[in-house]
């Protein structure tokens, strides 16, 4: 069986205020063309179909167009909700849409109920694990601790239990939306840390033939059977080095995996350039970036006059301007943002306690801070679901 694995469409998202709907529509056309030309048997979409719980109408219309085009091909599609989606909204009409071969899996309770497809070698069971917000699903899965590993582990126990009841030789595919250990993050993914822990071990998914992951935006291979497709478009300059693609997966009669990357259309390349303004305007090596979307980091010791206007004369698609004067690390003028770079909200709060009190939080106080951040994030998730 040949699968096309994609995820993280984020329909409705912009790139530094640039509307990407046209590029997203081009991707959908590319996906449909790939399904047709490469004789794909099933499409799997591993969450974050939309960029937010209540997407703009234009994004909903594009999604509707994608569903119709996939259904017209007669190729089954299995799709789960991600942490950016409203599971309830995405799942509206799932039963009816399923009759057209588009199988939306947005209910955690249905984790152990697969979509079963057949090929010449028998059945393939597709299990959809939508994004499982620990605080919201721990009761459903009967776990004491609201953590990602606990709820995903419980969901996978249901998958393995169902698989054990099926005919010997039944192959299996799991769709999941999670941060799995070994994956490389970028700046454009929403933080899903709970209790100071964001990642779950890949071993949680043991026992199935292929795991189609979503959430991280870079295409990655964690094991031969566990992969991220990544997002089809870049959504931050941290993805400038990404090769955007989908996975074309062949499952043979025994469940062995053969994988091929299928590149996605690039609306415009990304470039990150750094130096003094005069150097950036004069350096001939930067000619190749003149048609790219540019993030420019200026290292001038004093902020130059009209930097954006001057930059756009050479790089007309400059979207982001960062000031990072070259100074010694102990210079009092080193920016607050630079000192906070790469630190989590919880770490910043702990640093603040140390700054105010002269000593950092003890073990009990650190736990209180962690619980507070988890509670705020869980409350945000509840509000998203309720909207």
């Amino acid at each position: 069986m040949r699968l096309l694995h994609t995820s993280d469409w984020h329909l409705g998202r912009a790139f530094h205020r640039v509307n990407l709907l046209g590029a997203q529509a081009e991707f959908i056309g590319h996906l449909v063309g790939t399904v047709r030309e490469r004789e794909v048997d099933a499409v799997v979409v591993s969450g974050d179909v939309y960029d937010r719980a209540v997407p703009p109408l234009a994004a909903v219309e594009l999604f509707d167009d994608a569903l119709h085009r996939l259904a017209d091909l007669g190729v089954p599609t299995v799709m789960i909700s991600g942490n950016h989606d409203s599971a309830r909204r995405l799942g509206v009409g799932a039963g009816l849409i399923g009759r057209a071969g588009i199988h939306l899996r947005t209910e955690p309770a249905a984790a152990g109920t697969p979509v079963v497809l057949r090929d010449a070698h028998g059945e393939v069971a597709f299990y959809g694990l939508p994004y499982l917000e620990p605080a919201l699903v721990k009761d459903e899965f009967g776990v004491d601790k609201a953590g990602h590993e606990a709820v995903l582990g419980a969901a996978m126990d249901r998958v393995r239990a169902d698989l054990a009841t099926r005919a010997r030789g039944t192959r299996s595919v799991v769709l999941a939306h999670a941060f799995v250990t070994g994956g490389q993050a970028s700046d454009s993914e929403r933080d899903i840390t709970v209790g100071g822990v964001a990642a779950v071990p890949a071993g949680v998914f043991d026992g199935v033939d292929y795991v189609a992951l979503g959430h991280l935006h870079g295409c990655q291979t964690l094991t031969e059977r566990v992969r991220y497709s990544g997002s089809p478009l870049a959504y931050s300059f941290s993805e400038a080095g990404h090769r955007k693609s989908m996975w074309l997966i062949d499952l043979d009669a025994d469940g062995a995996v053969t994988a091929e990357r299928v590149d996605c259309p690039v609306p415009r390349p990304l470039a990150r350039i750094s130096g003094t303004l005069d150097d950036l305007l004069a350096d001939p090596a930067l000619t190749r970036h003149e048609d790219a979307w540019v993030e420019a980091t200026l290292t001038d010791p004093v902020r130059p006059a009209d930097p954006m206007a001057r930059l756009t004369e050479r790089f007309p698609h400059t979207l982001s301007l960062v000031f990072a004067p070259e100074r010694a690390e102990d210079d009092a003028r080193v920016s607050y943002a630079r000192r906070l770079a790469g630190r989590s909200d919880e770490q910043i709060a702990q640093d603040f306690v140390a700054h105010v009190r002269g000593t950092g939080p003890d073990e009990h106080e650190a736990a209180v801070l962690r619980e507070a951040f988890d509670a705020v994030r869980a409350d945000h998730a509840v509000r998203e679901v309720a909207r």
Side-chain angles (χ1 to χ4, degrees), residues 179-184 200 202 213 216 220-228:
F179 190 163
V180 178
T181 303
Q184 297 296 312
V200 300
L213 293 175
L216 300 185
Q220 302 170 57
T221 301
L222 304 186
T223 74
E224 284 303 303
R225 297 185 181 276
V226 181
R227 299 170 186 264
Y228 282 101

Side-chain angles (χ1 to χ4, degrees), residues 72-94:
D72 287 345
L73 291 176
V75 175
T77 297
V78 184
M79 185 177 295
I80 62 173
S81 50
N83 61 300
H84 280 249
D85 298 309
S86 165
R88 291 172 63 186
R89 281 186 169 82
L90 188 64
V92 167

Side-chain angles (χ1 to χ4, degrees), residues 95-112:
L96 185 61
I97 295 172
R99 298 180 188 178
I102 308 294
H103 305 281
L104 300 174
R105 288 295 183 265
T106 63
E107 291 292 334

Side-chain angles (χ1 to χ4, degrees), residues 7-335:
S7 72
D8 295 273
W9 295 356
H10 288 278
L11 299 181
R13 187 164 184 162
F15 184 77
H16 289 266
R17 300 178 302 282
V18 174
N19 189 319
L20 290 179
L21 205 64
Q24 291 172 334
E26 184 179 0
F27 160 70
I28 295 298
H30 171 68
L31 181 146
V32 171
T34 300
V35 171
R36 183 190 308 110
E37 294 160 15
R38 301 301 299 270
E39 299 181 341
V40 170
D41 298 306
V43 177
V44 295
V45 186
S46 299
D48 281 354
V49 175
Y50 292 121
D51 189 55
R52 56 183 185 265
V54 184
L57 179 58
V60 177
E61 290 172 341
L62 179 56
F63 178 60
D64 180 65
D65 177 64
L67 295 186
H68 278 85
R69 295 172 73 179
L70 287 168
D72 287 345
L73 291 176
V75 175
T77 297
V78 184
M79 185 177 295
I80 62 173
S81 50
N83 61 300
H84 280 249
D85 298 309
S86 165
R88 291 172 63 186
R89 281 186 169 82
L90 188 64
V92 167
L96 185 61
I97 295 172
R99 298 180 188 178
I102 308 294
H103 305 281
L104 300 174
R105 288 295 183 265
T106 63
E107 291 292 334
T113 305
V115 175
V116 180
L117 305 178
R118 296 186 62 88
D119 66 5
H121 304 293
E123 294 185 341
V124 181
F126 291 78
Y127 298 89
L129 310 187
Y131 172 67
L132 302 176
E133 174 58 48
L136 302 183
V137 303
K138 66 182 182 67
D139 292 337
E140 165 64 36
F141 290 106
V143 299
D144 296 328
K145 186 177 181 181
H148 290 291
E149 184 173 356
V151 296
L152 265 174
M156 281 302 301
D157 286 343
R158 293 189 185 183
V159 168
R160 286 183 283 262
D162 179 84
L163 197 54
T165 68
R166 298 191 174 273
R168 187 174 181 178
T170 298
R171 290 155 291 163
S172 53
V173 175
V174 166
L175 291 74
H177 197 87
F179 190 163
V180 178
T181 303
Q184 297 296 312
S186 60
D187 292 343
S188 53
E189 298 117 7
R190 184 180 294 169
D191 182 25
I192 59 171
T193 301
V194 173
V197 179
V200 300
V204 164
F205 300 103
D206 286 350
V208 296
D209 293 309
Y210 184 68
V211 181
L213 293 175
H215 179 57
L216 300 185
H217 289 180
C219 182
Q220 302 170 57
T221 301
L222 304 186
T223 74
E224 284 303 303
R225 297 185 181 276
V226 181
R227 299 170 186 264
Y228 282 101
S229 67
S231 60
L233 298 171
Y235 293 117
S236 73
F237 277 103
S238 66
E239 301 168 56
H242 288 188
R243 173 188 163 196
K244 296 301 184 181
S245 57
M246 303 176 285
W247 283 114
L248 194 66
I249 301 294
D250 286 323
L251 278 181
D252 73 8
D254 299 318
V257 171
T258 303
E260 175 189 344
R261 288 179 72 174
V262 178
D263 290 334
C264 295
V266 179
R268 192 178 297 279
L270 306 186
R272 290 178 126 173
I273 59 178
S274 178
T276 66
L277 179 57
D278 288 342
D279 287 345
L280 296 183
L281 295 177
D283 188 351
L286 300 180
T287 299
R288 67 186 188 278
H289 298 315
E290 290 179 352
D291 195 43
W293 279 323
V294 169
E295 178 183 73
T297 299
L298 299 185
T299 61
D300 302 74
V302 176
R303 184 176 301 209
D306 300 323
M308 182 61 89
R310 294 169 65 188
L311 273 170
T312 53
E313 289 180 4
R314 183 179 187 189
F315 306 103
H317 305 289
T318 301
L319 299 180
S320 175
L321 190 57
V322 180
F323 293 96
E326 292 181 342
R327 296 178 178 136
E329 287 299 321
D330 59 356
D331 190 319
R333 295 174 296 174
V334 172
S335 74

